[in-house]
């Protein structure tokens, strides 16, 4: 497969703390790639570097072969890299549908999208189509801030998808939601991937990762430790020794957030 998004030799320090130390990661077009590791291993920092929210001290980030290392987040988003956040980021005081209409403005800043006087019929249709996809059509007129946490997760997924990004980065999509919703989210991701959408997913829920990912990269102390299929990673002694505390078996189904 061709590489669509790649980080090479990325390092980043915050004060005296080295969050990333020469980390590399590649995402194949059309794949579902998982990124795992304990808290503090640098996963979210790498996400932030790859989407322009944090500038690396060294290393490069490329999207479809073009260097985007120093590009701003809105520029990277406009190119076709969408992302969610570990803590959902939606506009709480406007409606679910209005949030979606802001997100249709991939080529504009979020502020311009928020202050536009009206949206086109095609934008309205796209917004409602994605709300229907995640099962939130009936909540379209509700104030977004009143949604349950699970519904906020679904709204953020729809919010990213309505902009039609080429690759979607999901930061803990299964975090803090019940098993029924986890299964629903995994089914949505698999369906979208079957249609050609590419995903990079940070997640602590190993069952979720092992079920849907084609390839998994394990991070440890700011470095990419191991990359392989879910089966290879699950039983790799280096992974087990690095942060799971045992090399006597396979990776457990869940990893503690602490």
């Amino acid at each position: 497969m061709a590489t669509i998004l790649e980080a090479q030799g990325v390092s980043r320090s915050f004060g005296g703390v080295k969050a990333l130390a020469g980390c590399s990661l590649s995402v194949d077009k059309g794949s579902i790639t998982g990124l795992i590791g304990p808290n503090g291993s640098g996963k979210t920092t790498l996400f932030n570097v790859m989407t322009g929210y944090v500038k690396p001290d060294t290393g490069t980030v490329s999207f479809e072969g073009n260097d985007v290392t120093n590009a701003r987040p809105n520029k990277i988003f406009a190119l076709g890299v969408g992302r969610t956040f570990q803590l959902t980021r939606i506009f709480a005081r406007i409606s679910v549908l209005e949030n979606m209409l802001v997100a249709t403005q991939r080529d504009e800043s979020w502020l311009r999208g928020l202050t536009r006087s009206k949206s086109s019929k095609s934008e309205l249709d796209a917004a409602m189509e994605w709300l229907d996809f995640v099962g939130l059509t009936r909540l379209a007129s509700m104030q977004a801030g009143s949604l349950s946490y699970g519904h906020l997760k679904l709204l953020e997924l729809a919010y990213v998808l309505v902009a039609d990004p080429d690759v979607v980065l999901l930061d803990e999509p299964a975090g803090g939601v019940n098993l029924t919703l986890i299964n629903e989210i995994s089914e949505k991701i698999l369906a979208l991937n079957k249609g050609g959408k590419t995903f990079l997913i940070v997640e602590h829920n190993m069952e979720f990762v092992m079920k849907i990912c084609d390839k998994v990269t394990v991070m440890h102390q700011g470095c990419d430790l191991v990359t392989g299929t879910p089966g290879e990673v699950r039983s790799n002694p280096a992974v087990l020794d690095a942060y799971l505390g045992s090399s006597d078996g396979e990776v457990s189904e869940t990893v503690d957030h602490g």
Side-chain angles (χ1 to χ4, degrees):
M1 291 185 183
T3 298
I4 187 170
L5 182 65
E6 186 172 28
Q8 282 287 339
V10 173
S11 296
R12 172 68 193 203
S13 294
F14 297 96
V17 178
K18 186 173 282 294
L20 296 172
C23 183
S24 296
L25 173 71
S26 64
V27 179
D28 295 330
K29 189 171 186 178
S31 71
I32 304 177
T33 298
L35 183 60
I36 66 173
N39 281 350
S41 61
K43 304 182 303 298
T44 296
T45 301
L46 182 59
F47 251 44
N48 287 337
V49 168
M50 295 177 81
T51 51
Y53 288 88
V54 170
K55 303 303 179 188
D57 298 326
T58 63
T60 60
V61 177
S62 61
F63 174 65
E64 293 193 327
N66 298 309
D67 190 335
V68 295
T69 309
N70 294 307
R72 295 175 62 84
N74 62 312
K75 175 64 174 177
I76 294 175
F77 179 65
L79 289 172
V81 181
R83 71 163 294 180
T84 65
F85 294 83
Q86 188 174 348
L87 300 176
T88 56
R89 295 190 181 186
I90 51 89
F91 297 101
R93 296 186 179 182
I94 63 176
S95 73
V96 168
L97 177 57
E98 288 168 333
N99 268 276
M100 293 294 292
L101 293 174
V102 171
T104 61
Q105 309 310 308
R106 174 167 142 176
D107 296 322
E108 299 182 16
S109 69
W110 66 266
L111 182 59
R112 288 187 63 189
L114 186 62
T115 57
R116 291 169 94 241
S117 59
K118 64 179 181 178
S119 299
S120 68
K121 183 179 183 303
S122 63
E123 290 166 348
L124 283 166
D125 289 345
M128 292 305 297
E129 178 182 349
W130 285 110
L131 285 178
D132 183 61
F133 178 76
V134 298
L136 296 181
T137 305
R138 63 185 177 84
L139 303 179
S141 61
M142 183 177 291
Q143 189 177 59
S146 66
L147 295 180
S148 68
Y149 186 70
H151 284 151
L152 284 173
K153 286 276 191 178
L154 291 172
L155 174 58
E156 191 175 37
L157 178 61
Y159 182 97
V160 171
L161 292 169
V162 75
D164 194 26
D166 298 299
V167 57
V168 181
L169 283 68
L170 302 179
D171 197 348
E172 297 195 26
V177 298
N178 62 49
L179 181 59
T180 298
L181 186 55
I182 288 172
N183 290 335
E184 184 176 345
I185 291 172
S186 65
E187 289 170 3
K188 301 297 185 189
I189 293 171
L190 287 168
L192 290 163
N193 178 250
K194 188 175 181 179
K197 194 68 72 179
T198 303
F199 289 89
L200 172 62
I201 303 173
V202 162
E203 185 53 62
H204 282 278
N205 186 315
M206 292 298 100
E207 183 178 6
F208 181 88
V209 170
M210 299 300 171
K211 177 181 177 181
I212 69 172
C213 291
D214 308 306
K215 181 177 72 173
V216 178
T217 291
V218 182
M219 291 189 66
H220 179 58
Q221 297 180 351
C223 301
D224 50 301
L225 178 67
V226 171
T227 297
T229 65
E232 290 168 344
V233 167
R234 184 190 289 271
S235 58
N236 189 292
V239 176
L240 295 162
D241 289 340
Y243 71 97
L244 295 174
S246 171
S247 58
D248 297 329
E250 293 187 336
V251 175
S252 62
E253 295 300 325
T254 58
V255 174
D256 185 70
H257 286 252

